[in-house]
Amino acid sequence: MAKKSFNEYLKVGIVQPIVNEQTAWVDTPLAGMHLKMNSVDAHFINDQISSAVNAFIGMKESERPDIIILPELCAADESFLENLAKKSNAIIIAGRDFMVSGNGVKNMAEVFIPSKWDNPDIPSTFCQKFFFGKKFFSHPEKALFEKYQSEGISSPEIYILNARQFGRIGFAICADFFDILRFRIYKRFVHHLFILALNKDTETFEHMAETISRMVFCNVVVCNSGHYGGSLAFSPYKEAYRRYIYLHRGGELFTSQVVSLPVSSLDDFQQNSENIPAKDRLFKSVPPGYKYPDYKEKAEPIQEELPLE
């Protein structure tokens, strides 16, 4: 197999606006009886997102993020996100507000890929876009759907984004972080895993990030709401002090940060770990049964052995 050429690092802008589900989806004269974020919260969150992205744009070119990620359920306005992606020339991955069709509700995220995203010297004029969704809804979501006499529609599809020289990226939305089948599929096929969350149990997600990083053998980024904090970036480095590239604790804090995730060194280790002397190893050992995929062959589908409720 011909060796792929990867960049040394992927720079990720983690934006943690304050999304508070206690106020965002309540019955107010502005919100009405609709399962949509009220305009006051939506404008407040958009202002924070704009502030963070503009700060990224103001950085030196070598420090700007290649990809910007936002938490679950943080954005109602598609054109707003698309304009930010074109303006920043960075891929934006953002949780969208609930998508309602009749009595059905989906929890989706949208990916915006500006036309010149890997060439910052040339302005982008349009974006390619695609959605990925949430498969398993949380108990608070189910209670909210019941309140509005709606029903959650599961999105079982699993996607991998080929970000070319920046590696391959897998996705999950909040509760899908516990979907073991998803990680059986992602194992061996991704360099990075991005989790978009609106999650109050931040400590559990810290433990999950380390566990999944070792099981799938990839970088893990969690982007959570600033209402709870807990955004993080974790890589399976050998030295413990290097593994948490970024970890934010504390609620009610709007923050943004650019982190660098290893790509070329991680890919080389995924392929050749058994041939690298112990003294030269940058990363922990790959998990049992790990085998770098041969992309000339078709991937075999993984069948669920038991139905997942």
Side-chain angles (χ1 to χ4, degrees), residues 3-11 66-67 89 91 113 116-120 161-169 191-192 219 261-268 292:
K3 185 174 177 59
K4 292 179 172 62
S5 177
F6 292 109
N7 281 20
E8 184 177 5
Y9 293 105
L10 164 65
K11 298 188 296 296
D66 308 299
I67 295 177
N89 254 0
I91 293 175
I113 306 174
K116 302 296 181 183
W117 75 274
D118 56 352
N119 191 342
L161 172 63
N162 182 357
R164 299 200 287 254
Q165 70 269 31
F166 298 111
R168 296 176 297 277
I169 303 168
H191 300 96
H192 321 286
N219 304 309
L261 306 179
V263 187
S264 58
S265 58
L266 180 64
D267 182 80
D268 185 60
Y292 195 86

Side-chain angles (χ1 to χ4, degrees), residues 72-96:
E72 176 186 20
L73 293 169
C74 74
D77 188 344
E78 182 180 53
S79 61
F80 164 74
L81 295 171
E82 184 169 1
N83 287 334
L84 287 179
K86 290 187 293 185
K87 182 179 178 182
S88 64
N89 254 0
I91 293 175
I92 289 183
I93 303 169
R96 296 290 309 280

Side-chain angles (χ1 to χ4, degrees), residues 18-188:
I18 297 174
V19 182
N20 182 357
E21 71 267 38
Q22 301 302 318
T23 62
W25 295 278
V26 296
D27 300 334
T28 69
L30 292 174
M33 282 300 293
H34 301 285
L35 193 56
K36 286 290 183 183
M37 184 184 296
N38 70 69
S39 60
V40 173
D41 282 54
H43 284 117
F44 173 69
I45 293 165
N46 282 359
D47 285 345
Q48 293 184 331
I49 294 171
S50 291
S51 174
V53 174
N54 286 328
F56 294 154
I57 294 171
M59 292 177 169
K60 292 190 298 185
E61 184 179 312
S62 61
E63 298 175 352
R64 293 174 197 157
D66 308 299
I67 295 177
I68 298 169
I69 60 174
L70 305 168
E72 176 186 20
L73 293 169
C74 74
D77 188 344
E78 182 180 53
S79 61
F80 164 74
L81 295 171
E82 184 169 1
N83 287 334
L84 287 179
K86 290 187 293 185
K87 182 179 178 182
S88 64
N89 254 0
I91 293 175
I92 289 183
I93 303 169
R96 296 290 309 280
D97 193 9
F98 289 117
M99 296 189 172
V100 181
S101 178
N103 291 328
V105 184
K106 287 188 174 184
N107 182 337
M108 306 292 287
E110 192 166 6
V111 180
F112 300 82
I113 306 174
S115 54
K116 302 296 181 183
W117 75 274
D118 56 352
N119 191 342
D121 296 328
I122 303 176
S124 291
T125 56
F126 66 93
C127 288
Q128 295 181 347
K129 298 173 285 187
F130 72 89
F131 288 94
F132 63 91
K134 191 174 190 178
K135 183 176 182 180
F136 297 104
F137 296 104
S138 66
H139 292 298
E141 281 178 302
K142 292 176 181 177
L144 188 64
F145 298 161
E146 184 176 352
K147 174 183 176 181
Y148 287 97
Q149 299 180 338
S150 300
E151 182 179 354
I153 301 174
S154 177
S155 300
E157 300 84 5
I158 295 176
Y159 294 94
I160 294 175
L161 172 63
N162 182 357
R164 299 200 287 254
Q165 70 269 31
F166 298 111
R168 296 176 297 277
I169 303 168
F171 309 100
I173 299 177
C174 209
D176 288 349
F177 203 9
F178 297 93
D179 180 9
I180 298 303
L181 176 66
R182 180 178 303 266
F183 303 118
R184 285 179 59 197
I185 294 172
Y186 280 151
K187 182 179 177 181
R188 306 186 303 124

Side-chain angles (χ1 to χ4, degrees), residues 294-299:
D294 182 350
Y295 289 98
K296 293 179 182 178
E297 299 177 3
K298 281 189 174 181

